[in-house]
Amino acid sequence: MKLLIVIDMQNDFIDGALGTKEAAAIVPAVAAKIARARAAGDMVVFTRDTHQQNYLETQEGKNLPVVHYVEGTQGWQISDKLPVGDSQIFDKPSFGSLALADFAATLDGLTDIELVGLCTGICVISNAFILKAKLPEVPITADSSCCACVTPESHATALAAMKLCQIRVL
């Protein structure tokens, strides 16, 4: 079984508070990747960065003082250009999701994990490393054409770091 994980493809990171042209540009490719995965019978899950009204008081908020992904807001929602359907969504208060890794570890016959989404250098890489630590023998791939970061340079840096930790990069 293959698992496609769509990381934080939320409005605030695409065209909202922290949006970039690079993030907006990958939306059609991510939608196509989801459609292909479902057509192949692969499992598709999503993560959703989830902050509360006190975001600016948190450690992350003090380091990145831009309010985003506040639960229940339009910016917190996954882009309506992506077919979420009945896929499971993992809400996470920070960069990586231990619950996601625990879930992946319960899947019988898991042969491959692929990650796409935002932001390559923060949430994608964090989840990739957590999954690699939890499931060291399951091949993990990041599709660089379906990921974006704050800058093209930070995207490239994250991809290089993942390669060093035996995460395949397409």
Side-chain angles (χ1 to χ4, degrees), residues 4-9 30 34 44-48 78 82 114-117:
L4 175 65
I5 303 172
V6 182
I7 306 287
D8 298 356
M9 290 295 295
V30 172
I34 292 167
V44 179
V45 300
F46 290 75
T47 68
R48 185 168 48 195
I78 294 169
L82 300 176
E114 185 169 3
L115 297 114
V116 299

Side-chain angles (χ1 to χ4, degrees), residues 108-160:
D108 288 333
L110 182 61
T111 59
D112 289 279
I113 297 172
E114 185 169 3
L115 297 114
V116 299
L118 303 168
C119 170
T120 319
I122 302 172
C123 294
V124 175
I125 196 171
S126 295
N127 282 287
F129 288 167
I130 290 169
L131 287 159
K132 191 65 170 170
K134 184 78 174 183
L135 300 161
E137 295 302 318
V138 176
I140 299 172
T141 302
D143 185 339
S144 62
S145 70
C146 290
C147 293
C149 201
V150 178
T151 66
E153 295 79 16
S154 59
H155 174 70
T157 298
L159 295 172

Side-chain angles (χ1 to χ4, degrees), residues 40-145:
D42 300 339
M43 179 179 285
V44 179
V45 300
F46 290 75
T47 68
R48 185 168 48 195
D49 212 20
T50 302
H51 301 307
Q52 302 305 314
Q53 293 295 331
N54 70 336
Y55 171 75
L56 293 176
E57 299 166 23
T58 67
Q59 179 176 325
E60 182 182 332
K62 291 174 185 171
N63 288 290
L64 178 62
V66 178
V67 176
H68 63 285
Y69 293 156
V70 174
E71 187 171 10
T73 65
Q74 180 61 24
W76 174 73
Q77 300 296 331
I78 294 169
S79 171
D80 62 8
K81 296 176 182 157
L82 300 176
V84 175
D86 62 356
S87 292
Q88 186 164 350
I89 299 172
F90 291 86
D91 289 334
K92 56 188 188 56
S94 189
F95 308 140
S97 174
L98 297 173
L100 173 62
D102 290 343
F103 168 79
T106 69
L107 298 175
D108 288 333
L110 182 61
T111 59
D112 289 279
I113 297 172
E114 185 169 3
L115 297 114
V116 299
L118 303 168
C119 170
T120 319
I122 302 172
C123 294
V124 175
I125 196 171
S126 295
N127 282 287
F129 288 167
I130 290 169
L131 287 159
K132 191 65 170 170
K134 184 78 174 183
L135 300 161
E137 295 302 318
V138 176
I140 299 172
T141 302
D143 185 339
S144 62
S145 70

